Amino acid sequence: MSTQSVREMSKRVSERLADAGFVDAQTNPTWYLIVIPKVLLFGLIMIVPFLGAFYVSLHQWAPLAQTHPFVGLENYVQLLHDKVFWKSLQNTVFYAGMLLLFDVPIALGLALLLNMKLKGTRFYSAAIFLPVVTSWVVVSLIWTWIYSPTNGILNVSLASLGLPTYDWLGNRALAMPAVTAMSIWKHIGFNMVIFLAGLGSIPDHYYEAAIVDGANRWQRFRYITLPLLKPTAFFVIVVTMIFSFRVYTQVYVMTNGGPVHATYTLMYYFWEQGFGQFNYGYASAMAVVLLVIVFGLSILQQRTWGSDVEY
Amino acid sequence: MSTDLDLGGEDRIGTGRAAGTGQYVVKALAHGILIVASALAIIPFAYALLTSLKPEEKIFTTMAQIIPAEPTVMNYVNIWMQNPLDRWIFNSLLLAAGVVFFTLLLDSLAGFALAKGDFKGQRFVYLLVVGTLIVPPQAIVVPLYIEMSQFNLVNTYWAVMFLYIANPFGVFMMRQFFLSVPDSYLEAARMDGCSTLQIYTRIMLPMAKPALSSLAVFTFTFIWGAFLWPLIVLSDNAMYPLQVGLAGLTGQYSSQWGQLMAAAIIAAFPVITAYLLAQKTFMEGIALTGSKG
């Protein structure tokens, strides 16, 4: 497209918009031309389906049915009485809780160690970050093999030490913790890098001034590092929770939700209802529950983290 | 980000004593912990690689022997011959190329307009970006699937790509970058008679190279690992990206761990190679998600 025709096109677009009273005729029309493609995509791919989720959740909706009868809140009421749903929610909350309890503090600890800028830091951070870049499907496959009941390296190692072995993914009490442990392993490097960026953004002159004032290491950590890292820590905690509610792929690959719903998560049950049972209405009700939880968490984040973000 | 005035890291962490043996103890302890953490991160990959090199019939009989006595690539050959791995890899690369291209183009344009533009509705568009940032894509896949079937796009590459191209993260990131470019550059260019589009192509894009490469790497990794949406919207085995195809192998190869591990290594290879070559860019991409702005 030549510059000339682009200019003409943008002029026409802006005239139309001005005629319709949307925009001020004085504005340079090019600005509209360059944001419109993305705005259209937001509208069609994010906003319409977003509203669609609420709409579908109020209907009994089978993909091939001719009509989709309105059922009001029936899907939601059914959710309240659905034991598998509660089990899925419970598992998801367990998953999020374990990540907060182990992933976040260990990631912070590793970031503090890496921030000491020891020799070999590049190697250490590269190694710890390796599971982050590898896909969930790949690491799930590898860990299914590690957890394998008779021949996986975990049980082989335990047996060689004379310790008891378990069917990690086949045991109802152990399956969810096993999936969670693997996820912590995979995810720690992500939080670590965010903490590391947070530590790096603390200006050095704060420490210099503190040294001049005679503050010792502990005091510098306690009164400079810790308070200044608070926003980063809060960000990490909320984002970890938000992502936890999306846990899905590792369950699909490692356990298929089993044994007997022991590893069902919100997203796994959603997928099973939506695209296994083709029960769109019921699945959408679950999606709306997920949306409400994630929005709640995001508001929490905006309150503290976003308070000085300019809009 | 950090002004690299080297204080000698341990000054910043606040443990141990300033001088003498205490410092060595702290350092040794730190090295010890980091070595253990690195080993824990790497061992599963090494174990998968070693398993993939063992002859299938010997995997169970040679459990105690971690390192294969006679390494073989038969597992790679077999899994590749029996499955359309090349087609899946092609699909993944095509999807990634498409998404990366459109993401860089549309997001740099929109980010530029949001950072430097002056138009009615700018604030609204920005709120749209921040608002959609929160929407978990997983929550909208049912209506999106219905929408895609209305447009007759189910089982097409476009259907897969649309969701990822619409991702608002890149706009947010590019806007943050363009905000850091001083207005005087634009004013000078305007004086010289540059149009807005020329400012974008001649001044903004060249300056944005580091941000664009971060976004490209980040997007590529994301698409390469994408799973749920392609699984839903694609129905044809030959259309699957590698991750979806791979996940489908678990059932049929449930006891052929050598071949499964070979497939896992094949799937991990491109991203790990790219990561080792451009480690800094990868980490910056992640760090950007946490940078306040």
Side-chain angles (χ1 to χ4, degrees):
Chain A
M1 223 187 304
S2 72
T3 321
Q4 197 58 38
S5 68
V6 167
R7 257 185 213 163
E8 269 169 27
M9 209 163 108
S10 66
K11 211 170 151 222
R12 253 181 296 146
V13 169
S14 109
E15 277 167 5
R16 283 271 174 82
L17 290 170
D19 287 347
F22 281 122
V23 301
D24 157 16
Q26 298 305 306
T27 336
N28 182 343
T30 318
W31 293 124
Y32 291 110
L33 196 71
I34 67 182
V35 288
I36 278 173
K38 194 73 191 189
V39 171
L40 276 179
L41 272 173
F42 280 149
L44 278 174
I45 306 297
M46 311 284 301
I47 310 292
V48 169
F50 175 74
L51 300 172
F54 291 92
Y55 182 80
V56 175
S57 76
L58 301 175
H59 294 74
Q60 187 194 323
W61 196 303
L64 293 174
Q66 296 297 315
T67 55
H68 310 294
F70 178 79
V71 294
L73 294 175
E74 208 176 275
N75 285 323
Y76 294 92
V77 175
Q78 199 187 330
L79 271 185
L80 287 176
H81 300 289
D82 184 344
K83 284 204 178 103
V84 180
F85 170 74
W86 287 108
K87 179 71 187 167
S88 307
L89 189 61
Q90 188 196 327
N91 280 337
T92 311
V93 170
F94 169 83
Y95 181 90
M98 286 298 117
L99 257 66
L100 291 188
L101 209 59
F102 292 101
D103 187 324
V104 174
I106 297 173
L108 174 61
L110 291 173
L112 285 169
L113 292 177
L114 288 176
N115 201 44
M116 288 168 72
K117 296 177 180 120
L118 302 164
K119 266 185 197 139
T121 292
R122 256 183 75 99
F123 168 78
Y124 296 139
S125 58
I128 299 167
F129 197 68
L130 191 61
V132 178
V133 297
T134 320
S135 74
W136 281 102
V137 173
V138 167
V139 297
S140 301
L141 271 179
I142 294 177
W143 278 80
T144 310
W145 171 223
I146 290 172
Y147 283 138
S148 168
T150 45
N151 300 297
I153 194 172
L154 185 60
N155 275 350
V156 170
S157 315
L158 288 173
S160 71
L161 294 170
L163 295 166
T165 62
Y166 300 94
D167 182 1
W168 299 96
L169 297 173
N171 181 311
R172 281 173 73 172
L174 292 174
M176 197 60 212
V179 170
T180 308
M182 173 284 236
S183 308
I184 292 170
W185 170 85
K186 155 97 163 100
H187 192 257
I188 254 174
F190 185 91
N191 283 340
M192 179 189 81
V193 168
I194 294 179
F195 272 128
L196 210 49
L199 287 169
S201 69
I202 300 175
D204 277 335
H205 60 81
Y206 286 9
Y207 294 97
E208 287 157 22
I211 291 169
V212 172
D213 289 347
N216 66 30
R217 272 153 222 277
W218 166 248
Q219 285 169 329
R220 294 198 294 267
F221 176 68
R222 173 70 188 80
Y223 297 106
I224 299 175
T225 314
L226 223 45
L228 287 176
L229 207 57
K230 230 188 225 167
T232 309
F234 195 77
F235 176 85
V236 166
I237 288 169
V238 175
V239 168
T240 301
M241 280 200 283
I242 290 175
F243 274 93
S244 295
F245 279 91
R246 305 178 179 184
V247 50
Y248 171 77
T249 308
Q250 56 272 57
V251 172
Y252 181 96
V253 177
M254 295 175 83
T255 64
N256 253 307
V260 211
H261 301 147
T263 53
Y264 265 56
T265 59
L266 213 50
M267 280 312 299
Y268 187 83
Y269 193 34
F270 161 85
W271 179 84
E272 201 251 276
Q273 280 298 316
F275 298 94
Q277 314 280 335
F278 297 107
N279 200 347
Y280 284 0
Y282 197 51
S284 291
M286 261 182 264
V288 170
V289 171
L290 173 74
L291 275 169
V292 169
I293 293 171
V294 168
F295 273 108
L297 291 171
S298 302
I299 289 166
L300 199 70
Q301 180 200 345
Q302 289 292 317
R303 278 263 169 90
T304 344
W305 176 261
S307 51
D308 53 330
V309 176
E310 47 111 8
Y311 287 114
Chain B
M1 226 171 276
S2 75
T3 46
D4 248 359
L5 200 153
D6 201 7
L7 276 176
E10 69 279 5
D11 279 330
R12 309 194 77 192
I13 176 169
T15 46
R17 283 291 308 136
T21 49
Q23 194 176 334
Y24 291 106
V25 173
V26 170
K27 273 193 177 176
L29 205 64
H31 274 294
I33 296 170
L34 288 169
I35 287 169
V36 170
S38 306
L40 285 175
I42 294 173
I43 284 171
F45 293 104
Y47 178 52
L49 182 66
L50 293 172
T51 304
S52 74
L53 295 173
K54 282 185 184 180
E56 195 72 75
E57 67 279 4
K58 289 209 171 154
I59 284 176
F60 297 120
T61 53
T62 60
M63 270 324 297
Q65 188 190 354
I66 304 280
I67 295 165
E70 320 139 33
T72 166
V73 293
M74 273 322 284
N75 290 322
Y76 289 84
V77 175
N78 287 335
I79 196 99
W80 198 293
M81 301 290 277
Q82 291 156 18
N83 294 281
L85 278 189
D86 42 358
R87 177 69 201 240
W88 293 342
I89 291 170
F90 169 78
N91 291 338
S92 281
L93 288 175
L94 187 75
L95 290 171
V99 174
V100 168
F101 173 78
F102 284 109
T103 299
L104 293 190
L105 178 71
L106 300 182
D107 293 6
S108 62
L109 280 169
F112 172 47
L114 287 178
K116 295 296 178 194
D118 172 26
F119 55 98
K120 214 173 154 189
Q122 193 176 4
R123 195 185 137 84
F124 172 74
V125 176
Y126 183 63
L127 284 177
L128 208 61
V129 174
V130 179
T132 43
L133 212 48
I134 303 164
V135 178
Q138 289 89 336
I140 59 169
V141 293
V142 165
L144 189 60
Y145 182 84
I146 296 172
E147 195 183 334
M148 289 296 133
S149 47
Q150 302 267 311
F151 292 146
N152 263 326
L153 285 171
V154 168
N155 204 32
T156 63
Y157 293 121
W158 284 110
V160 182
M161 291 198 292
F162 275 139
L163 179 63
Y164 301 104
I165 299 171
N167 190 327
F169 171 72
V171 180
F172 188 73
M173 183 179 149
M174 292 313 297
R175 175 184 170 270
Q176 295 309 114
F177 172 79
F178 286 126
L179 279 178
S180 71
V181 176
D183 282 338
S184 53
Y185 283 85
L186 280 96
E187 282 154 21
R190 282 223 193 280
M191 298 272 227
D192 292 342
C194 278
S195 70
T196 307
L197 268 181
Q198 282 169 331
I199 293 176
Y200 168 76
T201 51
R202 296 197 189 158
I203 298 170
M204 288 299 169
L205 273 190
M207 285 179 84
K209 264 183 200 152
L212 287 169
S213 59
S214 264
L215 181 58
V217 159
F218 196 71
T219 309
F220 175 79
T221 323
F222 190 61
I223 305 307
W224 190 263
F227 184 66
L228 181 62
W229 177 236
L231 176 72
I232 288 169
V233 85
L234 297 174
S235 51
D236 185 354
N237 194 43
M239 293 291 289
Y240 283 166
L242 186 55
Q243 307 297 329
V244 177
L246 200 60
L249 297 182
T250 47
Q252 12 167 342
Y253 288 85
S254 53
S255 56
Q256 284 151 296
W257 284 105
Q259 292 186 51
L260 272 181
M261 289 304 106
I265 296 291
I266 292 170
F269 184 74
V271 173
I272 289 183
T273 313
Y275 165 62
L276 293 177
L277 290 175
Q279 190 201 335
K280 217 172 150 229
T281 318
F282 265 83
M283 293 203 180
E284 276 164 5
I286 302 284
L288 273 166
T289 59
S291 67
K292 201 170 179 176

